């Protein structure tokens, strides 16, 4: 007969394995099946406190493993399954009349929620991002979220993105300000999102651009990477310059005009992002 001790044993096995172990998927499936047999996959009024803690821990473990394995769809499913547990009052996680510890009361809610905010950001879902953030602010009841490092990180990145401060975004993702290893997984994804926005605006801002300028503008490591990126987008690279296909028929601008246009790219990107948010 399935028991809480069986679930505890599975969680102990999961914690001892590296995230990319081929055993994690089968163990997570076994853990969720155990929750189903214990009628604890969704919390109920009759669910014992000890089982609530185990169930929440199981889903949080699955969410974090999914992120480390770069599986955003699985992470999203775990995030959604965790919401009924996060909506319970803190007292639900105390086995006695005494106040539960902070770990018992909230678990890893801040980390999981911060990761979901970052996921929304990488998808460009600004409307979803702000809707969730507004809900968190209401729940905080005026106490603010600035002290929560897991929430502050994606909020900070979103603000810099909207202001066009891509160098600060880049520095934050590469520096020591990343809250945990799970957040670092999104770095490359977010860089790709930023690079795509800048590239789209560059196509509209001017007809051509020197390859060295493009390397700095697009946060690429080498001019060879610029050429590869240009080919992927259907741009033409000739004599050390990138020519944007839709503008090839126009006269090539002077170097001074190109530098002025480069400064306009950020403003165009901000405007595009805000228009997108309004449309959504």
């Amino acid at each position: 007969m399935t028991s809480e001790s069986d679930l505890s044993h599975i969680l102990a096995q999961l914690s001892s394995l590296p995230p990319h172990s081929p055993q994690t998927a089968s163990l997570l499936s076994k853990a969720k099946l155990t929750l189903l047999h214990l009628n604890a996959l969704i919390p109920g009024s009759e669910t014992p406190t000890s089982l609530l803690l185990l169930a929440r821990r199981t889903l949080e473990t699955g969410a974090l493993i999914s992120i480390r394995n770069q599986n955003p769809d699985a992470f999203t499913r775990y995030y959604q399954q965790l919401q009924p547990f996060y909506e319970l009052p803190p007292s639900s996680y105390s086995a006695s009349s005494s106040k539960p510890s902070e770990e018992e009361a909230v678990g890893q809610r801040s980390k999981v929620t911060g990761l979901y905010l970052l996921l929304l950001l990488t998808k460009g879902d600004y409307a979803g991002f702000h809707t969730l953030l507004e809900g968190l602010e209401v729940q905080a009841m005026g106490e603010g979220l600035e002290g929560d490092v897991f929430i502050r990180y994606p909020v900070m990145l979103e603000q810099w993105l909207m202001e066009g401060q891509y160098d600060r975004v880049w520095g934050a993702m590469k520096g020591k300000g990343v809250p945990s290893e799970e957040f670092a997984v999104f770095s490359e994804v977010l860089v790709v999102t930023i690079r795509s926005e800048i590239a789209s605006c560059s196509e509209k801002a001017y007809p051509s651009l020197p390859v060295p300028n493009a390397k700095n503008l697009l946060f690429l490591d080498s001019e060879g990477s610029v050429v590869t990126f240009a080919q992927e987008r259907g741009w033409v690279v000739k004599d050390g310059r990138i020519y944007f296909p839709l503008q090839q028929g126009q006269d090539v601008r002077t170097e001074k005009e190109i530098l002025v246009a480069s400064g306009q790219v950020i403003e165009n990107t901000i405007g595009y992002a805000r228009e997108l948010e309004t449309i959504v």
Side-chain angles (χ1 to χ4, degrees), residues 121-173:
L121 204 57
T122 61
K123 290 182 175 181
D125 187 355
Y126 296 103
F129 181 95
H130 284 286
T131 297
L132 176 55
L133 187 59
E134 288 170 8
L136 293 173
E137 290 172 345
V138 170
Q139 293 172 15
M141 294 183 293
E143 294 183 6
L145 301 170
E146 295 81 5
D148 191 326
V149 63
F150 297 119
I151 303 298
R152 187 174 68 243
Y153 182 73
V155 170
M156 179 177 63
L157 293 184
E158 191 271 345
Q159 181 180 346
W160 289 340
L161 283 172
M162 295 303 293
E163 293 173 352
Q165 299 187 59
Y166 297 123
D167 55 335
R168 299 190 71 177
V169 176
W170 179 267
M173 292 188 300

Side-chain angles (χ1 to χ4, degrees), residues 11-238:
L11 290 172
Q13 287 180 288
L14 281 168
S15 64
S16 67
L17 294 173
H20 302 292
S21 170
Q23 293 178 265
T24 56
S26 60
L27 283 172
L28 281 171
S29 296
K30 187 176 179 181
K32 292 182 72 174
L33 188 60
T34 302
L35 284 178
L36 187 62
H37 288 157
L38 293 172
N39 198 27
L41 199 54
I42 299 175
S45 58
E46 301 299 321
T47 308
T49 300
S50 57
L51 188 51
L52 281 176
L53 290 166
L54 283 172
R56 187 183 63 188
R57 181 184 163 199
T58 299
L59 297 176
E60 288 175 336
T61 299
L64 297 178
I65 288 177
S66 297
I67 285 297
R68 293 170 192 155
N69 288 334
Q70 301 183 33
N71 189 339
D73 292 335
F75 169 75
T76 299
R77 289 192 294 271
Y78 279 110
Y79 171 80
Q80 292 169 342
Q81 290 173 326
L82 277 164
Q83 296 318 295
F85 291 90
Y86 290 158
E87 291 169 1
L88 292 173
S91 58
S92 300
Y93 293 100
S94 178
S96 64
S97 58
S98 61
K99 184 178 180 180
S101 67
E102 183 176 351
E103 183 179 355
E104 288 176 336
V106 300
Q108 300 201 66
R109 179 178 184 176
S110 289
K111 178 185 281 192
V112 172
T113 304
L115 285 167
Y116 188 67
L117 281 169
L118 197 52
L119 176 60
L120 293 174
L121 204 57
T122 61
K123 290 182 175 181
D125 187 355
Y126 296 103
F129 181 95
H130 284 286
T131 297
L132 176 55
L133 187 59
E134 288 170 8
L136 293 173
E137 290 172 345
V138 170
Q139 293 172 15
M141 294 183 293
E143 294 183 6
L145 301 170
E146 295 81 5
D148 191 326
V149 63
F150 297 119
I151 303 298
R152 187 174 68 243
Y153 182 73
V155 170
M156 179 177 63
L157 293 184
E158 191 271 345
Q159 181 180 346
W160 289 340
L161 283 172
M162 295 303 293
E163 293 173 352
Q165 299 187 59
Y166 297 123
D167 55 335
R168 299 190 71 177
V169 176
W170 179 267
M173 292 188 300
K174 297 296 182 181
K176 297 180 179 179
V178 182
S180 71
E181 62 177 303
E182 292 87 6
F183 284 80
V185 172
F186 284 107
S187 295
E188 187 58 35
V189 179
L190 195 54
V191 167
V192 171
T193 300
I194 295 171
R195 191 172 289 141
S196 179
E197 288 191 4
I198 294 176
S200 297
C201 291
S202 298
E203 293 170 343
K204 301 171 184 176
Y206 34 77
S208 67
L209 189 67
V211 169
N213 287 36
K215 181 175 80 71
N216 295 329
L217 193 63
L218 297 168
F219 297 104
L220 290 167
D221 297 327
S222 66
E223 295 187 5
S225 299
V226 175
V227 173
T228 300
F229 182 80
Q231 292 172 341
E232 291 173 350
R233 290 189 68 94
W235 297 343
V236 175
V237 181
K238 183 179 180 182

